[in-house]
Amino acid sequence: MLTGAILLLSGRALLAKERRAPLPSLPGYIAVPVHYSHWNKMMMEAVVNGQRARFFVDTGAGYSILDAGRARSLGVSPVGADSPYGEFANLNGERYRVGYLNSLRAGAMDFGSGPMALFQPANEDAALNSRVNGENEDGIIGADILTHYKSVINCYTKTIFFKTSSSERLHVARFAASQNFIRIPLREEVSRAFTIPAFINGHPCRLLVDTGAFITTFDLKRAKEFGLSFNGTRMNGSFADGISRRVAIGNVANLRIGDYQVPPQRLAASMLPDFALDQGQGKIAGILGMELLAANHGIIDFESMSLFVK
C-alpha cells in the first residue's frame, strides 16, 4: 500500500464527474459502488454499528482494519483477554488491539458482525497524513473480506460485486473474452498479497496488484537492473511502514503484464520496503497501482484468481 503526499503522474486523477449508471442486479451477487478520491484511492461508503464511515479498498492489505482513533465514536471497543478472536492481531510485525464490530454494511451488502484490527499509525506524521490529504478514511477493506466473498472489483466502472450465493457465478472470463480483455493469472502469496507475471525490457518479474497504491511504483534497485532509468524528484511517498521515501520518475516504454503490452508512459520508482518485495516466490519488481488499473479497464476477479485488462 503506497500512500502519501506525492503528485499524480500524467494527469491521471481518477475523479469522475459523469453520472453513475444504475447498479447492475445479478443473481447471487450484491453490487456496491465505490468512488475515487483526489489521491486515486478507491473509497467505499459504509455504516459501522449504525454510524457512517468511509473505508478504502486495498488489495495490498492482507487484513481489514479500523482506525483506532475512530473506533470509539463508531461504537467499537477493544475485546478482552478472554475473547475467542484474540486480544491482539499481528500485522506487518506490529501488534494491534482487536475490536468487535456489531454490524458492517456497505450499500445493500451486509457483512454482518465480527472482529477487526484497530490500527494505530506508527508515528504522528503517519496518523495525520490521510487527514492532511483530505481523505478522512476510517479504515481499510482488505484481502480477508474481499477473498471471503470472492469479490469482483471493476476498477473502470467503480463497482465491486460481493458473492452471497455459492450456487451462482459471474463468469467474468466469458464476458471479458467477448469484450477483448486479456486475462492475467493472479497468484496469492504467503503474505496474502496478490501478484501477476510481468516483463520489464524482456526481464521476467512479478508485480503486486495493489488498489491501495494510488500510482504504479517500481523498486528503484530492481528497475535499474532491468535497464530502466529514473530522474530524482523532490517528491516523497510513504508506505504502510510509515517511512517516507524519495520518488523518482522515468519513461517506461517496454512493460508487459501477462500478455498485455502497457502503453509507454512515465512511471515512478522508489526504494520499496522489504515487506513489499519479500513475497516468497518470484522476483517482485514493483507495485501495479490504481492509475494503471483504472486506465486499462482492470477487473480483479477473486473467484477465478484473474486480472483482466484491455
Side-chain angles (χ1 to χ4, degrees), residues 16-271:
K17 293 183 170 56
E18 72 274 9
R19 182 175 299 175
R20 175 183 290 275
L23 289 174
S25 178
L26 299 172
Y29 289 82
I30 292 178
V32 175
V34 294
H35 63 274
Y36 292 117
S37 73
H38 288 280
W39 292 91
N40 286 1
K41 288 185 179 181
M42 179 181 281
M43 307 300 297
M44 175 185 292
E45 303 297 327
V47 178
V48 175
N49 296 343
Q51 304 294 319
R52 294 181 63 180
R54 301 178 76 217
F55 288 79
F56 77 87
V57 180
D58 187 357
T59 59
Y63 297 92
S64 301
I65 60 174
L66 186 67
D67 186 326
R70 288 279 292 130
R72 176 172 294 184
S73 63
L74 294 173
V76 178
S77 300
V79 300
D82 59 347
S83 168
Y85 306 108
E87 188 176 5
F88 295 93
N90 192 311
L91 305 177
N92 290 332
E94 299 287 339
R95 288 210 317 169
Y96 298 103
R97 294 296 301 271
V98 172
Y100 190 84
L101 281 65
N102 293 317
S103 67
L104 173 62
R105 300 183 60 91
M109 180 64 190
D110 185 355
F111 296 102
S113 59
M116 187 174 287
L118 302 179
F119 176 71
Q120 185 68 48
N123 54 59
E124 186 176 352
D125 287 340
L128 291 174
N129 181 62
S130 65
R131 303 300 188 245
V132 170
N133 290 331
E135 305 292 12
N136 295 311
E137 67 265 11
D138 299 300
I140 293 173
I141 299 296
D144 52 347
I145 289 177
L146 296 171
T147 56
H148 176 77
Y149 289 98
K150 300 187 185 301
S151 307
V152 175
I153 305 172
N154 193 320
C155 301
Y156 186 72
T157 65
K158 294 168 289 186
T159 309
I160 302 180
F161 298 90
F162 293 98
K163 187 172 185 177
T164 56
S165 172
S166 59
S167 62
E168 301 291 343
R169 191 167 181 174
L170 270 181
H171 298 291
V172 177
R174 186 184 306 166
F175 162 80
S178 70
Q179 300 297 313
N180 299 314
F181 280 82
I182 293 175
R183 177 185 179 272
I184 304 170
L186 195 64
R187 185 173 78 192
E188 183 174 2
E189 307 294 349
V190 293
S191 63
R192 300 203 76 175
F194 301 93
T195 68
I196 56 171
F199 296 87
I200 300 173
N201 289 339
H203 297 276
C205 59
R206 298 192 73 83
L207 297 178
L208 295 173
V209 177
D210 189 355
T211 60
F214 63 97
I215 57 170
T216 297
T217 308
F218 297 106
D219 178 64
L220 191 58
K221 180 180 178 181
R222 292 185 176 172
K224 288 182 177 179
E225 292 174 357
F226 296 156
L228 296 179
S229 61
F230 294 87
N231 297 317
T233 71
R234 287 188 282 181
M235 298 184 295
N236 290 320
S238 62
F239 295 78
D241 59 3
I243 298 175
S244 179
R245 294 172 172 85
R246 190 59 58 89
V247 174
I249 304 297
N251 293 315
V252 179
N254 189 9
L255 169 63
R256 184 157 59 90
I257 53 175
D259 293 327
Y260 178 74
Q261 187 70 38
V262 178
Q265 58 199 279
R266 298 172 69 216
L267 294 173
S270 186
M271 296 298 293

